[in-house]
Amino acid sequence: MHFYTDQDPPSSSVFGTPVHPVRTHNADTKPTKPPILSILLPPASLRQLAFRTFTKKHNLTLTSPALQALATFVGTHCGSMWREEGLAERVLDEVAKIWKRIDGGVIVDGENSVFNSILKNLEDKMVAGRVEFPPNLDRQNSPLSRAGDPLSRSSTLVRQPSKLTITDSQTSLWTMADDTETDPDERHDLRRWLQIVGAFKQPRFVYNATRKHFEHATSYASSLPDPSQKTLLFRNRFNLVHQRLLRNESFQTSTIPPTRKSSLSRSPSNTLTAQQAYKLTPIANLLGRSGSSHLLLGLLTIAPTGTLALSDLTGSIAIDIRTARPVPENGAWFTPGMIVLVDGTYEEESQAAGLGLGSNGGVGGTLGGSFVAFSIGGPPCERREVTLGVNFSNAEGDTSSGGGFGWIDFLGLGSEKACGPTMRKVEERMLGRSLTRSSETGRAKMVVLGEVTLDSTKTLQALKKVLQTYDVGHSADIPMTVILIGNFVQNAILAGSDSGGSIEYKEYFDALASLLSEFPNLLRSSTFVFVPGNNDPWASAFSAGAATVLPKACIPELYTSRLKKTFATVNAGVDRIGIEQLSGEAVWTTNPARIALFGPVHEIVVFRDDISSRLRRNALVFHSQEPTDNGLPDRIDTRPNARDADVDEVNRMDVDQAIEDTMSHVPGLKGEHASGSALASDTATARKLVKTILDQGYLSPFPISKRPVHWDYATALEIYPLPTSLVIVDPDAPAFAVTYEGCHVMNPARLVPEERRRVARWIEYDIGAKRGHIKEAAF
């Protein structure tokens, strides 16, 4: 019989020893620590220590299964000395650090496979009740850290409904940041930090109103989801807007009584409010309060009786807008499907009213009576910095983290608080200048072209003129990205229209490949991004050009083979020794799509939709609204990020100076006065469109019957937090570049304007300045 000694411990994963330990003959070897005697530790005994470590120290919340798993782990590996020697506190602290490092979220769920993998990997590091890493392996470089790091070189976290799995993915942002710090800036291509996220690959987050944080969707995404997902779509939209309002100072009640008369003050979201906070009333609480004034938040809908109604999570009520006034006047659109704020008075239904189909008898969650609206407005927008809890504290660009959702990785590329400060330093080194100045080189620019109809000869000529403008000799002056946005044909393909079928559609892209082959410098140094429209396959086969389901999948590979072969041929055999420049590529993405640069620092949303015409067709008509010539405010603020105190929020939008230099978009207007009137009308239209979309925080604020949406992928249409830039390609709207609440919104409109057939128009976006400029060239 063999008896184990201190130098020969038994084989166990607790001690991390091999089955047949190597015996040493060195007499000076120090004896190892005695083994730990496992105990059964009740979760209640560990609750106070876990609360102090996870909640107070790391701002995390433990679930009951997580506490049970930690109690079992501590009792097994720390034994009876878990309290006296502080072994349990060190283990809990290490688990919390790893959980935050992999961006696991605010809630630590014990049923999560990632949490269980953390405990399993820590078992190999436990020595005598302590977590000990090998001497040549620290916590930042440990296999455990790399396995859970969402930005690691060999793996990223791919979030699924009930578990998180580890798969091979892109190059580490952290590794590239270290390489940039040690190597010269000119040896690196900006496109190393460029990533394009399609709508179907974007993480699906749902806001939990009870826990007040974002959670991953619990169901697998499907094109044929359960009918309950349709209800969850609107519920999630409402919860997002509601929590955004509660974070606004206008809706927060102060616990300190005012010492002076109420005056106007500014909220974090740059809106003027009174010191007396607004109070939202649930619709269900209107019962028995006839004649009282209330402020409601709800979804505008059309009731089965054909009347306009307002709905929230507690009920619905018919609203009367005959005396309502929109806020601001002529400054935003209001259509069914939007979430709005309504101020008015509740009036109960008269006893003499009938109980027929047209009455509101309170059946099915609908309250009897009606709500007489005095004013209707959109929910105030929230700046990106406020949502993410990031504040720029000094002139050097250092950031400080506050509240908000900075730890949420909305795009799957790393959260703002995890890698945002590092990526901003990388951005400053790469661009080589202050971010408030214009770019000195053409490399830090993006070219955006809208409505590139390849079946039009004039469009191909205009595209050739644009590419000639940027086809320069040195690669440092070539824009890093060229974005081509559909429709790529004038009529719906595969629908029996003039655009033909599959053969003709492939020939259009073959012609585009022949055109691009004339510009080898661009194909070697730029990334071409293609975003489809409603006329592009496959959805166009049954929609015949009507509104297709959003998000829309990318163009099938069947039609893009020739174009991909052209890029491969041009980049083949290019000598890239001595430089760190990537090969040019063509990326086919969805509609909408997101373009990320330097991780979470730059987020550019690209969306193609005829949204302005749809807003005009479905907009509410207010009888109290006085007609005006163009709806343009008296004062235009053109300062970037201006915070001028003005009740009319539309005046706070910045208009790109290039709009001032363009000619009228309205045909038939001549002379200086006519041009000025057209410019004023286009500016008002742009501001009205931008404010409507950003206040809603949703790209398609319409009923599903008007604009179909994939229920499980509706989160891809959310623009919360606000992106740094938003590209809306709407051919029916004038070209513009407007900034609202720190988000720069651009519309390149048509590449060849209808009123100016021999002119090419596009937008050139400066990445450093985060501003777009409208460009024109005759061809």
Side-chain angles (χ1 to χ4, degrees), residues 650-704:
V650 182
N651 290 342
R652 294 186 285 102
M653 297 189 190
D654 305 334
V655 182
D656 185 30
Q657 188 64 29
I659 297 181
E660 307 286 344
D661 302 330
T662 59
M663 298 179 61
S664 170
H665 300 287
V666 181
L669 295 178
K670 299 181 180 180
E672 181 179 357
H673 176 73
S675 177
S677 301
L679 174 63
S681 177
D682 292 347
T683 304
T685 301
R687 291 175 168 178
K688 192 173 183 179
L689 176 62
V690 169
K691 177 174 172 56
T692 300
I693 297 177
L694 295 190
D695 283 353
Q696 290 296 315
Y698 196 70
L699 291 175
S700 183
F702 302 101
I704 293 183

Short mmCIF file of all heavy atoms in Angstrom, two decimals, residues 650-704:
data_model
loop_
_atom_site.label_atom_id
_atom_site.label_comp_id
_atom_site.label_asym_id
_atom_site.label_seq_id
_atom_site.Cartn_x
_atom_site.Cartn_y
_atom_site.Cartn_z
N VAL A 650 -35.66 72.41 -33.73
CA VAL A 650 -35.22 72.34 -35.11
C VAL A 650 -34.13 73.35 -35.38
O VAL A 650 -33.24 73.14 -36.22
CB VAL A 650 -36.42 72.57 -36.06
CG1 VAL A 650 -36.00 72.45 -37.50
CG2 VAL A 650 -37.54 71.61 -35.75
N ASN A 651 -34.13 74.47 -34.68
CA ASN A 651 -33.10 75.49 -34.90
C ASN A 651 -31.73 75.03 -34.45
O ASN A 651 -30.74 75.66 -34.78
CB ASN A 651 -33.47 76.77 -34.14
CG ASN A 651 -34.67 77.46 -34.77
OD1 ASN A 651 -34.99 77.19 -35.92
ND2 ASN A 651 -35.31 78.33 -34.03
N ARG A 652 -31.64 73.94 -33.69
CA ARG A 652 -30.35 73.50 -33.18
C ARG A 652 -29.64 72.56 -34.12
O ARG A 652 -28.62 72.00 -33.78
CB ARG A 652 -30.53 72.82 -31.82
CG ARG A 652 -31.00 73.78 -30.75
CD ARG A 652 -31.02 73.12 -29.40
NE ARG A 652 -32.14 72.21 -29.28
CZ ARG A 652 -32.04 70.90 -29.38
NH1 ARG A 652 -30.90 70.34 -29.63
NH2 ARG A 652 -33.09 70.13 -29.24
N MET A 653 -30.16 72.35 -35.32
CA MET A 653 -29.50 71.48 -36.28
C MET A 653 -28.49 72.27 -37.09
O MET A 653 -28.72 73.41 -37.46
CB MET A 653 -30.52 70.84 -37.22
CG MET A 653 -31.51 69.94 -36.52
SD MET A 653 -32.51 69.05 -37.70
CE MET A 653 -33.73 68.34 -36.61
N ASP A 654 -27.35 71.65 -37.33
CA ASP A 654 -26.29 72.26 -38.13
C ASP A 654 -26.46 71.84 -39.57
O ASP A 654 -26.60 70.66 -39.86
CB ASP A 654 -24.91 71.83 -37.64
CG ASP A 654 -24.75 72.12 -36.15
OD1 ASP A 654 -25.43 73.03 -35.67
OD2 ASP A 654 -23.96 71.42 -35.51
N VAL A 655 -26.44 72.80 -40.48
CA VAL A 655 -26.60 72.52 -41.90
C VAL A 655 -25.26 72.64 -42.58
O VAL A 655 -24.51 73.60 -42.36
CB VAL A 655 -27.61 73.50 -42.54
CG1 VAL A 655 -27.82 73.17 -44.01
CG2 VAL A 655 -28.93 73.43 -41.80
N ASP A 656 -24.92 71.66 -43.39
CA ASP A 656 -23.65 71.68 -44.10
C ASP A 656 -23.60 72.87 -45.04
O ASP A 656 -24.56 73.18 -45.75
CB ASP A 656 -23.48 70.38 -44.87
CG ASP A 656 -22.12 70.29 -45.54
OD1 ASP A 656 -21.17 70.88 -44.98
OD2 ASP A 656 -22.02 69.64 -46.58
N GLN A 657 -22.48 73.57 -45.05
CA GLN A 657 -22.34 74.76 -45.86
C GLN A 657 -22.43 74.45 -47.35
O GLN A 657 -22.78 75.31 -48.16
CB GLN A 657 -20.99 75.45 -45.56
CG GLN A 657 -20.81 76.82 -46.22
CD GLN A 657 -21.81 77.83 -45.71
OE1 GLN A 657 -22.26 77.74 -44.57
NE2 GLN A 657 -22.17 78.79 -46.54
N ALA A 658 -22.15 73.20 -47.73
CA ALA A 658 -22.21 72.85 -49.15
C ALA A 658 -23.63 72.98 -49.69
O ALA A 658 -23.82 73.20 -50.89
CB ALA A 658 -21.70 71.43 -49.36
N ILE A 659 -24.64 72.87 -48.82
CA ILE A 659 -26.01 73.04 -49.28
C ILE A 659 -26.24 74.47 -49.74
O ILE A 659 -26.98 74.74 -50.68
CB ILE A 659 -26.99 72.66 -48.16
CG1 ILE A 659 -26.83 71.19 -47.80
CG2 ILE A 659 -28.42 72.94 -48.56
CD1 ILE A 659 -27.77 70.73 -46.73
N GLU A 660 -25.56 75.42 -49.07
CA GLU A 660 -25.72 76.81 -49.45
C GLU A 660 -25.22 77.07 -50.86
O GLU A 660 -25.67 77.99 -51.54
CB GLU A 660 -24.96 77.71 -48.46
CG GLU A 660 -25.30 77.48 -47.00
CD GLU A 660 -26.67 78.03 -46.64
OE1 GLU A 660 -27.18 78.85 -47.44
OE2 GLU A 660 -27.20 77.65 -45.61
N ASP A 661 -24.26 76.28 -51.31
CA ASP A 661 -23.66 76.51 -52.63
C ASP A 661 -24.38 75.77 -53.75
O ASP A 661 -24.09 76.01 -54.92
CB ASP A 661 -22.19 76.08 -52.61
CG ASP A 661 -21.41 76.83 -51.54
OD1 ASP A 661 -21.79 77.98 -51.25
OD2 ASP A 661 -20.45 76.26 -51.00
N THR A 662 -25.26 74.83 -53.42
CA THR A 662 -25.94 74.08 -54.46
C THR A 662 -27.09 74.87 -55.03
O THR A 662 -27.63 75.79 -54.40
CB THR A 662 -26.46 72.75 -53.91
OG1 THR A 662 -27.37 73.04 -52.82
CG2 THR A 662 -25.33 71.90 -53.39
N MET A 663 -27.50 74.49 -56.23
CA MET A 663 -28.63 75.16 -56.87
C MET A 663 -29.94 74.59 -56.35
O MET A 663 -29.98 73.62 -55.60
CB MET A 663 -28.52 75.00 -58.39
CG MET A 663 -27.29 75.62 -58.99
SD MET A 663 -27.19 75.38 -60.76
CE MET A 663 -28.68 76.23 -61.29
N SER A 664 -31.03 75.17 -56.77
CA SER A 664 -32.33 74.76 -56.30
C SER A 664 -32.63 73.32 -56.71
O SER A 664 -32.31 72.89 -57.80
CB SER A 664 -33.40 75.70 -56.87
OG SER A 664 -34.67 75.20 -56.61
N HIS A 665 -33.26 72.58 -55.78
CA HIS A 665 -33.71 71.23 -56.09
C HIS A 665 -35.11 71.23 -56.70
O HIS A 665 -35.61 70.19 -57.09
CB HIS A 665 -33.72 70.36 -54.82
CG HIS A 665 -32.38 70.26 -54.20
ND1 HIS A 665 -31.37 69.52 -54.73
CD2 HIS A 665 -31.87 70.83 -53.07
CE1 HIS A 665 -30.29 69.61 -53.96
NE2 HIS A 665 -30.58 70.39 -52.96
N VAL A 666 -35.75 72.39 -56.72
CA VAL A 666 -37.12 72.46 -57.21
C VAL A 666 -37.09 72.99 -58.63
O VAL A 666 -36.65 74.12 -58.87
CB VAL A 666 -37.98 73.38 -56.32
CG1 VAL A 666 -39.41 73.43 -56.82
CG2 VAL A 666 -37.93 72.88 -54.88
N PRO A 667 -37.50 72.23 -59.62
CA PRO A 667 -37.47 72.71 -61.00
C PRO A 667 -38.47 73.82 -61.22
O PRO A 667 -39.54 73.86 -60.61
CB PRO A 667 -37.82 71.47 -61.83
CG PRO A 667 -38.58 70.60 -60.89
CD PRO A 667 -38.02 70.86 -59.53
N GLY A 668 -38.11 74.76 -62.06
CA GLY A 668 -39.02 75.83 -62.43
C GLY A 668 -38.78 77.11 -61.68
O GLY A 668 -39.33 78.15 -62.05
N LEU A 669 -37.98 77.09 -60.62
CA LEU A 669 -37.67 78.29 -59.87
C LEU A 669 -36.43 78.94 -60.44
O LEU A 669 -35.41 78.31 -60.60
CB LEU A 669 -37.47 77.96 -58.38
CG LEU A 669 -38.69 77.43 -57.65
CD1 LEU A 669 -38.34 77.12 -56.21
CD2 LEU A 669 -39.84 78.42 -57.71
N LYS A 670 -36.50 80.20 -60.75
CA LYS A 670 -35.38 80.91 -61.34
C LYS A 670 -35.14 82.19 -60.57
O LYS A 670 -36.02 82.74 -59.92
CB LYS A 670 -35.66 81.23 -62.82
CG LYS A 670 -35.87 79.98 -63.68
CD LYS A 670 -36.12 80.36 -65.12
CE LYS A 670 -36.33 79.12 -65.98
NZ LYS A 670 -36.57 79.48 -67.40
N GLY A 671 -33.92 82.69 -60.70
CA GLY A 671 -33.58 83.93 -60.05
C GLY A 671 -33.08 83.72 -58.64
O GLY A 671 -33.19 82.66 -58.06
N GLU A 672 -32.55 84.77 -58.06
CA GLU A 672 -31.94 84.68 -56.72
C GLU A 672 -32.99 84.40 -55.66
O GLU A 672 -32.79 83.59 -54.77
CB GLU A 672 -31.20 85.98 -56.41
CG GLU A 672 -30.51 85.98 -55.06
CD GLU A 672 -29.77 87.27 -54.83
OE1 GLU A 672 -29.77 88.12 -55.75
OE2 GLU A 672 -29.20 87.43 -53.75
N HIS A 673 -34.13 85.04 -55.78
CA HIS A 673 -35.16 84.84 -54.77
C HIS A 673 -35.72 83.42 -54.83
O HIS A 673 -35.97 82.79 -53.81
CB HIS A 673 -36.28 85.86 -54.98
CG HIS A 673 -37.44 85.67 -54.04
ND1 HIS A 673 -37.37 85.99 -52.69
CD2 HIS A 673 -38.70 85.18 -54.25
CE1 HIS A 673 -38.52 85.71 -52.10
NE2 HIS A 673 -39.35 85.21 -53.03
N ALA A 674 -35.87 82.93 -56.03
CA ALA A 674 -36.39 81.57 -56.16
C ALA A 674 -35.41 80.56 -55.60
O ALA A 674 -35.79 79.58 -54.96
CB ALA A 674 -36.68 81.27 -57.63
N SER A 675 -34.12 80.77 -55.85
CA SER A 675 -33.13 79.85 -55.33
C SER A 675 -33.11 79.86 -53.81
O SER A 675 -32.98 78.83 -53.16
CB SER A 675 -31.75 80.20 -55.88
OG SER A 675 -30.76 79.36 -55.33
N GLY A 676 -33.23 81.04 -53.21
CA GLY A 676 -33.26 81.13 -51.76
C GLY A 676 -34.49 80.46 -51.18
O GLY A 676 -34.43 79.81 -50.14
N SER A 677 -35.64 80.56 -51.84
CA SER A 677 -36.85 79.92 -51.34
C SER A 677 -36.73 78.41 -51.40
O SER A 677 -37.14 77.70 -50.50
CB SER A 677 -38.06 80.39 -52.16
OG SER A 677 -38.20 81.79 -52.08
N ALA A 678 -36.14 77.91 -52.51
CA ALA A 678 -35.96 76.47 -52.62
C ALA A 678 -34.99 75.95 -51.57
O ALA A 678 -35.19 74.87 -51.01
CB ALA A 678 -35.46 76.11 -54.02
N LEU A 679 -33.94 76.72 -51.31
CA LEU A 679 -32.97 76.31 -50.29
C LEU A 679 -33.62 76.26 -48.92
O LEU A 679 -33.39 75.34 -48.14
CB LEU A 679 -31.79 77.28 -50.28
CG LEU A 679 -30.76 77.06 -49.17
CD1 LEU A 679 -30.11 75.70 -49.32
CD2 LEU A 679 -29.71 78.16 -49.21
N ALA A 680 -34.46 77.26 -48.61
CA ALA A 680 -35.14 77.28 -47.32
C ALA A 680 -36.08 76.09 -47.20
O ALA A 680 -36.17 75.45 -46.15
CB ALA A 680 -35.91 78.59 -47.17
N SER A 681 -36.79 75.76 -48.28
CA SER A 681 -37.69 74.61 -48.24
C SER A 681 -36.94 73.31 -48.06
O SER A 681 -37.36 72.43 -47.30
CB SER A 681 -38.52 74.58 -49.53
OG SER A 681 -39.35 73.46 -49.57
N ASP A 682 -35.82 73.13 -48.76
CA ASP A 682 -35.02 71.91 -48.64
C ASP A 682 -34.44 71.78 -47.25
O ASP A 682 -34.38 70.68 -46.68
CB ASP A 682 -33.91 71.90 -49.68
CG ASP A 682 -34.46 71.77 -51.09
OD1 ASP A 682 -35.64 71.43 -51.23
OD2 ASP A 682 -33.70 72.03 -52.04
N THR A 683 -34.00 72.88 -46.68
CA THR A 683 -33.44 72.85 -45.33
C THR A 683 -34.49 72.45 -44.30
O THR A 683 -34.24 71.63 -43.41
CB THR A 683 -32.84 74.21 -44.97
OG1 THR A 683 -31.87 74.58 -45.94
CG2 THR A 683 -32.19 74.17 -43.60
N ALA A 684 -35.71 73.04 -44.43
CA ALA A 684 -36.78 72.68 -43.51
C ALA A 684 -37.17 71.22 -43.65
O ALA A 684 -37.44 70.52 -42.67
CB ALA A 684 -37.98 73.59 -43.74
N THR A 685 -37.19 70.72 -44.89
CA THR A 685 -37.53 69.31 -45.12
C THR A 685 -36.51 68.38 -44.48
O THR A 685 -36.86 67.37 -43.87
CB THR A 685 -37.63 69.04 -46.63
OG1 THR A 685 -38.63 69.89 -47.20
CG2 THR A 685 -37.98 67.59 -46.89
N ALA A 686 -35.23 68.73 -44.63
CA ALA A 686 -34.17 67.90 -44.05
C ALA A 686 -34.26 67.89 -42.53
O ALA A 686 -34.15 66.82 -41.90
CB ALA A 686 -32.81 68.43 -44.50
N ARG A 687 -34.46 69.04 -41.93
CA ARG A 687 -34.54 69.10 -40.47
C ARG A 687 -35.75 68.34 -39.95
O ARG A 687 -35.69 67.66 -38.91
CB ARG A 687 -34.59 70.56 -40.03
CG ARG A 687 -33.31 71.32 -40.26
CD ARG A 687 -33.47 72.77 -39.91
NE ARG A 687 -32.18 73.46 -39.87
CZ ARG A 687 -32.04 74.76 -39.61
NH1 ARG A 687 -33.11 75.50 -39.42
NH2 ARG A 687 -30.84 75.29 -39.58
N LYS A 688 -36.84 68.45 -40.66
CA LYS A 688 -38.06 67.77 -40.23
C LYS A 688 -37.88 66.25 -40.28
O LYS A 688 -38.31 65.53 -39.37
CB LYS A 688 -39.21 68.21 -41.13
CG LYS A 688 -40.59 67.82 -40.65
CD LYS A 688 -41.66 68.46 -41.52
CE LYS A 688 -43.06 68.14 -41.00
NZ LYS A 688 -44.10 68.80 -41.84
N LEU A 689 -37.24 65.76 -41.32
CA LEU A 689 -37.00 64.33 -41.46
C LEU A 689 -36.04 63.82 -40.40
O LEU A 689 -36.26 62.77 -39.78
CB LEU A 689 -36.47 64.04 -42.86
CG LEU A 689 -36.07 62.60 -43.16
CD1 LEU A 689 -37.27 61.67 -43.04
CD2 LEU A 689 -35.44 62.49 -44.54
N VAL A 690 -34.95 64.56 -40.18
CA VAL A 690 -33.93 64.12 -39.23
C VAL A 690 -34.48 64.08 -37.81
O VAL A 690 -34.27 63.11 -37.06
CB VAL A 690 -32.71 65.05 -39.32
CG1 VAL A 690 -31.75 64.79 -38.17
CG2 VAL A 690 -32.00 64.86 -40.65
N LYS A 691 -35.20 65.12 -37.43
CA LYS A 691 -35.73 65.15 -36.06
C LYS A 691 -36.74 64.02 -35.83
O LYS A 691 -36.75 63.40 -34.76
CB LYS A 691 -36.41 66.50 -35.81
CG LYS A 691 -37.06 66.58 -34.43
CD LYS A 691 -37.59 67.96 -34.15
CE LYS A 691 -38.41 67.94 -32.85
NZ LYS A 691 -37.63 67.43 -31.70
N THR A 692 -37.54 63.72 -36.84
CA THR A 692 -38.53 62.66 -36.68
C THR A 692 -37.87 61.31 -36.42
O THR A 692 -38.25 60.57 -35.51
CB THR A 692 -39.41 62.58 -37.94
OG1 THR A 692 -40.07 63.84 -38.12
CG2 THR A 692 -40.45 61.48 -37.80
N ILE A 693 -36.86 60.98 -37.21
CA ILE A 693 -36.24 59.66 -37.10
C ILE A 693 -35.43 59.52 -35.82
O ILE A 693 -35.52 58.53 -35.10
CB ILE A 693 -35.36 59.39 -38.34
CG1 ILE A 693 -36.23 59.37 -39.59
CG2 ILE A 693 -34.60 58.08 -38.19
CD1 ILE A 693 -35.44 59.18 -40.86
N LEU A 694 -34.62 60.53 -35.51
CA LEU A 694 -33.75 60.42 -34.34
C LEU A 694 -34.54 60.46 -33.04
O LEU A 694 -34.17 59.81 -32.05
CB LEU A 694 -32.69 61.52 -34.37
CG LEU A 694 -31.69 61.46 -35.53
CD1 LEU A 694 -30.56 62.45 -35.29
CD2 LEU A 694 -31.14 60.06 -35.71
N ASP A 695 -35.61 61.24 -33.00
CA ASP A 695 -36.43 61.25 -31.78
C ASP A 695 -37.11 59.91 -31.55
O ASP A 695 -37.29 59.49 -30.41
CB ASP A 695 -37.49 62.36 -31.88
CG ASP A 695 -36.90 63.74 -31.63
OD1 ASP A 695 -35.71 63.81 -31.24
OD2 ASP A 695 -37.61 64.75 -31.81
N GLN A 696 -37.50 59.24 -32.63
CA GLN A 696 -38.12 57.93 -32.48
C GLN A 696 -37.09 56.86 -32.11
O GLN A 696 -37.44 55.84 -31.52
CB GLN A 696 -38.83 57.54 -33.78
CG GLN A 696 -40.08 58.36 -34.07
CD GLN A 696 -41.15 58.15 -33.03
OE1 GLN A 696 -41.46 57.04 -32.61
NE2 GLN A 696 -41.75 59.26 -32.59
N GLY A 697 -35.83 57.06 -32.50
CA GLY A 697 -34.81 56.05 -32.22
C GLY A 697 -35.04 54.78 -32.98
O GLY A 697 -34.60 53.70 -32.57
N TYR A 698 -35.70 54.88 -34.14
CA TYR A 698 -36.08 53.70 -34.91
C TYR A 698 -36.14 54.11 -36.38
O TYR A 698 -36.67 55.18 -36.72
CB TYR A 698 -37.44 53.19 -34.44
CG TYR A 698 -37.79 51.79 -34.87
CD1 TYR A 698 -37.12 50.69 -34.33
CD2 TYR A 698 -38.79 51.55 -35.80
CE1 TYR A 698 -37.45 49.39 -34.71
CE2 TYR A 698 -39.12 50.26 -36.18
CZ TYR A 698 -38.45 49.19 -35.63
OH TYR A 698 -38.76 47.91 -36.01
N LEU A 699 -35.58 53.26 -37.25
CA LEU A 699 -35.46 53.63 -38.65
C LEU A 699 -36.77 53.51 -39.42
O LEU A 699 -36.92 54.12 -40.48
CB LEU A 699 -34.39 52.75 -39.33
CG LEU A 699 -32.95 53.00 -38.90
CD1 LEU A 699 -32.02 51.98 -39.55
CD2 LEU A 699 -32.51 54.41 -39.25
N SER A 700 -37.71 52.73 -38.93
CA SER A 700 -38.97 52.52 -39.65
C SER A 700 -40.15 52.68 -38.69
O SER A 700 -40.78 51.69 -38.30
CB SER A 700 -39.00 51.13 -40.30
OG SER A 700 -40.17 50.94 -41.05
N PRO A 701 -40.47 53.91 -38.29
CA PRO A 701 -41.56 54.13 -37.33
C PRO A 701 -42.93 54.11 -37.99
O PRO A 701 -43.68 55.10 -37.96
CB PRO A 701 -41.22 55.50 -36.74
CG PRO A 701 -40.56 56.22 -37.87
CD PRO A 701 -39.80 55.18 -38.65
N PHE A 702 -43.29 53.00 -38.59
CA PHE A 702 -44.57 52.86 -39.28
C PHE A 702 -45.24 51.56 -38.82
O PHE A 702 -44.58 50.66 -38.28
CB PHE A 702 -44.36 52.82 -40.80
CG PHE A 702 -43.66 54.01 -41.37
CD1 PHE A 702 -42.31 53.95 -41.68
CD2 PHE A 702 -44.35 55.20 -41.58
CE1 PHE A 702 -41.66 55.05 -42.21
CE2 PHE A 702 -43.70 56.30 -42.11
CZ PHE A 702 -42.36 56.23 -42.41
N PRO A 703 -46.54 51.45 -39.06
CA PRO A 703 -47.18 50.15 -38.80
C PRO A 703 -46.59 49.08 -39.70
O PRO A 703 -46.12 49.35 -40.81
CB PRO A 703 -48.66 50.43 -39.13
CG PRO A 703 -48.82 51.91 -39.05
CD PRO A 703 -47.51 52.50 -39.45
N ILE A 704 -46.61 47.85 -39.23
CA ILE A 704 -46.04 46.75 -40.00
C ILE A 704 -46.78 46.57 -41.32
O ILE A 704 -46.21 46.11 -42.31
CB ILE A 704 -46.05 45.47 -39.16
CG1 ILE A 704 -45.09 45.62 -37.97
CG2 ILE A 704 -45.66 44.26 -39.98
CD1 ILE A 704 -44.96 44.40 -37.12
#
